[in-house]
Amino acid sequence: MSNKNKFILAIESSCDDTGASILKDNTVLSNCIANQEIHKSYGGVVPELASRAHQSNIVPVVHQALTIANIEKKDLSAIAYTRGPGLLGSLLVGSSFAKSLSLSLKIPLIEVNHMQAHLLCHFINDKRIIPPKFPFIGVTLSGGHTQIVHVNNYFEMKIIGETLDDAIGEAFDKCGKMLGLDYPAGLEIDNLAKNGDPNKFKFPIPKAPNLNVSYSGIKTAFLNFVNTNLSKNKNFIKQNFNDICASIQKHLIQIIINKIEITSEKLNINRIVIGGGVSANSEIKKELYLRKKTKNWEVHIPPIEYTMDNAAMIGIVGYYKLLNKDYSNLNEISDPRLTF
Ligand code: KG4
Ligand code: ZN
């Protein structure tokens, strides 16, 4: 590959955020996101509405990313896009856009796995980020996935544990909904938990074999907890809001922390790298940093804008694939269940 700088346009449209980013090699020049507020009133993402919103957002968001980066379409060297996993209708909007633009500009098209991107965001050239050395234990914590991944190299990754049912972010969102919070509820639970007692209420620890986790049983346990207490005191939630949030948050985080500990011992790897929306959570940060001291863990947490769904993380994967000339063809189809 020539020494000339490469400009990569990255597109992310796997769920309800339309993202576009420009990278100059491994440095992010712009990282734009159009959030879809429409899902709030439905208490979750409505797939049909998400794909429609992507359709209207994608052109302005790409335009904005180019403008902020101060480059033109003709300067682009490659286009990276999310092939999966995600919602099919949403993925199709991003992939069709990326394919058409790469065809018209006659530049390489690069497909990216969204979950790998959540981990590889740690290789963005940014003064706040110290890239982890290989091998490491990658943990993806998002609204749709919870995975423990053995990472040996950029593209040598193996999922060695995952949720058997709901994702950790989904558990935050569903518990939040039961408390009357808007979707997505993770950040609000985190904020409310700051003034609460995390040890006030206890919940049962779900059983899951090996390095897997399970979060679906917690919904029922939490619903029973809320209903039982409300039947005794109709102001129970109001009077205990902060303590409930702190307690459920601690519980949800403890489940994954336990499995990370087991994984670390099993693989004899103490380098822990997290990614995905829930990696912004203050309790998981606290628990991981604690183990820096007690277990000598090396902990990598992304800057906030790279925790949530964003196109810059797609772009960094695009950069490494571009270095390897690992291009995709136009026949590659979006895959809602794409794995690795
Ligand atoms: O990675 P992400 O942006 O999208 C998916 O790929 O799913 O993750 C979104 C999830 C939501 O469930 C949201 O509630 C959760 O991340 N989340 C948080 C926090 N910020 C976002 N959960 C707990 N604490 C937070 N601070
Ligand atoms: Zn995600």
Side-chain angles (χ1 to χ4, degrees):
M1 200 162 95
S2 76
N3 291 329
K4 220 175 122 224
N5 291 124
K6 302 286 178 189
F7 290 96
I8 299 157
L9 165 65
I11 309 281
E12 154 61 28
S13 72
S14 64
C15 191
D16 58 337
D17 297 317
T18 320
S21 171
I22 304 288
L23 274 77
K24 180 181 173 187
D25 299 326
N26 56 351
T27 304
V28 176
L29 300 183
S30 61
N31 186 25
C32 304
I33 297 179
N35 299 112
Q36 302 181 2
E37 290 297 317
I38 190 161
H39 305 287
K40 265 204 168 84
S41 52
Y42 294 90
V45 178
V46 184
E48 173 67 21
L49 296 178
S51 44
R52 284 174 194 225
H54 283 303
Q55 283 280 9
S56 49
N57 289 341
I58 197 152
V59 172
V61 173
V62 169
H63 181 72
Q64 189 189 20
L66 286 163
T67 308
I68 293 173
N70 198 20
I71 66 161
E72 294 178 35
K73 285 200 280 295
K74 67 170 175 47
D75 303 319
L76 293 172
S77 323
I79 300 180
Y81 75 99
T82 305
R83 182 172 165 217
L87 301 169
L88 183 60
S90 294
L91 292 167
L92 283 172
V93 178
S95 71
S96 308
F97 182 92
K99 286 177 182 180
S100 318
L101 196 58
S102 83
L103 196 62
S104 69
L105 296 173
K106 298 188 178 59
I107 55 174
L109 176 71
I110 298 171
E111 58 151 294
V112 173
N113 180 306
H114 179 94
M115 299 315 294
Q116 289 189 333
H118 269 308
L119 293 178
L120 295 179
C121 73
H122 291 273
F123 294 91
I124 290 172
N125 177 30
D126 184 310
K127 59 179 183 314
R128 296 166 299 170
I129 301 176
I130 300 170
K133 292 201 170 65
F134 298 108
F136 61 77
I137 296 168
V139 187
T140 55
L141 304 162
S142 75
H145 294 84
T146 306
Q147 299 170 331
I148 300 181
V149 187
H150 186 177
V151 184
N152 275 314
N153 213 322
Y154 297 106
F155 299 107
E156 227 187 286
M157 298 190 186
K158 190 166 177 233
I159 299 168
I160 51 173
E162 61 190 325
T163 180
L164 301 174
D165 36 61
D166 291 354
I168 185 168
E170 201 176 342
F172 267 97
D173 296 338
K174 287 183 176 155
C175 292
K177 194 174 177 183
M178 292 176 214
L179 297 174
L181 299 176
D182 276 347
Y183 170 88
L187 177 59
E188 197 159 0
I189 291 182
D190 194 356
N191 287 335
L192 289 161
K194 291 193 173 95
N195 297 315
D197 173 2
N199 299 311
K200 176 110 177 243
F201 303 109
K202 299 280 177 217
F203 302 97
I205 299 270
K207 287 199 173 59
N210 307 318
L211 302 176
N212 299 314
V213 288
S214 165
Y215 279 103
S216 77
I218 291 164
K219 273 181 312 196
T220 325
F222 191 70
L223 186 64
N224 288 340
F225 160 81
V226 168
N227 286 341
T228 310
N229 282 293
L230 279 178
S231 68
K232 291 184 214 151
N233 169 11
K234 66 178 177 17
N235 293 319
F236 173 73
I237 294 181
K238 226 189 277 171
Q239 287 166 357
N240 296 279
F241 223 132
N242 300 89
D243 295 339
I244 299 171
C245 288
S247 300
I248 191 67
Q249 169 169 285
K250 180 174 176 177
H251 184 66
L252 296 174
I253 297 299
Q254 203 54 53
I255 290 167
I256 190 71
I257 286 283
N258 289 346
K259 290 294 168 128
I260 301 174
E261 278 189 338
I262 296 171
T263 312
S264 170
E265 276 162 31
K266 195 173 165 206
L267 300 184
N268 197 20
I269 297 177
N270 68 350
R271 202 171 290 124
I272 316 295
V273 176
I274 63 170
V278 184
S279 57
N281 182 267
S282 57
E283 176 74 11
I284 194 149
K285 290 183 192 170
K286 194 189 91 197
E287 290 292 316
L288 290 172
Y289 284 138
L290 180 71
R291 282 159 183 80
K292 260 173 104 160
K293 291 193 197 121
T294 59
K295 293 188 177 276
N296 201 25
W297 280 7
E298 182 187 314
V299 173
H300 294 260
I301 296 166
I304 184 87
E305 71 268 33
Y306 302 140
T307 60
M308 61 191 88
D309 286 351
N310 67 92
M313 69 181 193
I314 305 301
I316 191 68
V317 183
Y319 169 71
Y320 283 103
K321 286 197 162 188
L322 185 62
L323 290 183
N324 290 343
K325 292 198 167 50
D326 184 0
Y327 306 145
S328 321
N329 65 48
L330 294 168
N331 302 333
E332 223 94 65
I333 51 169
S334 299
D335 185 348
R337 295 180 173 277
L338 187 66
T339 186
F340 49 90

